[in-house]
Amino acid sequence: MELKTHYDVVIIGAGAAGLMCALTAGERRRSVLLLDHAPQIGKKILISGGGRCNFTNRSVSAAHYLSNNPHFCKSALSRFTPDDFIAMVEKQDIAYHEKTLGQLFCNGSARDILNMLLRGCEAAGVQIRNTCTIKNIQHQGETTNRFILQSNLGEISSDTLVIATGGRSFPKIGASDFGYRVAQQFDLKLQPNRPGLVPLYLNAPEMKAIQGLSGISAEVIVKCRGKQFRDALLFTHKGLSGPAILQISNNWHPGDEISINLLPDINLVETIHNWQKNRAKTTLKNLLAMHLSKRLAQQWLEQTFKNKAVDQYSAKEVQAIAAHFHQWRLIPSGTAGYRVAEVTLGGVDTDMLSSKTFEVKTVPGLYFIGEVLDVTGWLGGYNFQWAWSSGYCAGELV
Ligand SMILES: Cc1cc2nc3c(=O)[nH]c(=O)nc-3n(C[C@H](O)[C@H](O)[C@H](O)COP(=O)(O)OP(=O)(O)OC[C@H]3O[C@@H](n4cnc5c(N)ncnc54)[C@H](O)[C@@H]3O)c2cc1C
């Protein structure tokens, strides 16, 4: 379809939030143009959840999000809920399953979700253009309240403009700081960005301590800044990863200490004392290997004391060993960065927008939705739910 020169709604960023907003506005018979600079639409959806897209979570509340204003997300999450998105998925007969902790994934492929959104846009008459470079945005506020975009597709104007360009994470598939620059153009406050849901790197002494453990995982409890997560930790060549680490990375700031309990199911002091009391003959390494991988158990133990029969450890030694396993304290040297971070923390300050409409309070007709905002979810489908909820709520009003 030929491009028009004027639309009711132009949305920049055809990711999860932009697609959802476009189809919702299109269904209301608004003329909608959805623009993206990437050569392929929806690439992030396609690679999400290991290719199966963890598209939502059965249990979603404001407590699963980080933001300078923790209340901002409540309204949208309650007006477009996980059940609403699940209903869309079921209507399209997309098979899905719950993996763990309420996380819903496609049985087949993430493409099912992308196709559902693209079909929805097509049915709603939304025009989509990829490989589109926006060179300039002008706002004619005083006269007509129009937005005028200069792009490689020519000049396009709209009554409302929605910025859905996401955060800085995964630049190789199209992430950019575009949304933040637009916010600055309109004098909106930004909360500082940090990579989130990202592996953590370690300093040399800690790297030495985990040498040879790369590829081994363990169920742990990890704590930082009063927050804790219980999930799998994965040792890597450069530090720590796995869901537990990705989760805590959202709370971690440079210089913060994190504490890791490698044996969350037992009290090691009590366990060793019980074995000693019962005069059971086993080595500590074998006892530990009942709860951890053998290699990890041995390497971690030998960082404190040599492996011996359990009854040969003094009470003081038992305390030291238990502390080493239950409270591994470390200060990560940094994160793996935006290159691999699943999300970007911070962004457009939510005080600048209405939590009901997502319209900028000082610029009528300008909207920001999705990850570009200072709202970041936990791992587990929460970030897509935020994209769906904010996209839908704005789409209902633009
Ligand atoms: C590897 C990976 C796996 C993930 N898995 C999950 C998961 O399973 N579940 C979950 O809930 N979350 C997951 N996430 C997070 C989730 O993908 C994002 O939070 C969500 O996609 C944000 O939606 P959005 O529409 O706001 O931004 P995005 O999806 O990032 O979309 C932004 C769009 O804007 C476009 N854009 C950027 N700059 C410009 C510009 N200058 N001009 C035009 N267009 C531009 C981009 O090309 C992109 O298409 C994952 C993220 C990654 C990186």
Side-chain angles (χ1 to χ4, degrees), residues 59-82:
S59 152
V60 172
S61 77
H64 298 107
Y65 294 86
L66 292 90
S67 171
N68 197 43
N69 175 0
H71 303 291
F72 180 83
C73 61
K74 286 181 183 169
S75 172
L77 292 174
S78 69
R79 281 181 296 140
F80 189 85
T81 65

Side-chain angles (χ1 to χ4, degrees), residues 52 55 89-90 92-97 105-109 112:
R52 292 231 163 114
F55 55 82
V89 167
E90 289 181 350
Q92 297 292 318
D93 286 329
I94 297 173
Y96 65 92
H97 61 280
F105 287 76
C106 297
N107 286 0
S109 145
D112 294 340

Side-chain angles (χ1 to χ4, degrees), residues 12-19 35-38 40-45 47-50 52-56 105 132-134 164-167 169-170 173-179 181 197 340-343 369-372 378 380-385 387:
I12 306 179
L19 285 161
L35 300 172
D36 204 293
H37 69 165
Q40 196 188 341
I41 300 290
K43 195 82 197 282
K44 207 181 262 185
I45 296 175
I47 62 166
S48 68
R52 292 231 163 114
C53 187
N54 177 195
F55 55 82
T56 191
F105 287 76
C132 169
T133 310
I134 313 292
T165 45
S169 308
F170 260 67
I173 54 165
S176 80
D177 63 353
F178 182 86
R181 283 188 278 121
L197 302 181
V340 293
E342 289 198 9
V343 289
I369 55 171
E371 197 181 311
V372 71
W378 291 10
Y382 300 102
N383 285 296
F384 275 136
Q385 185 57 45

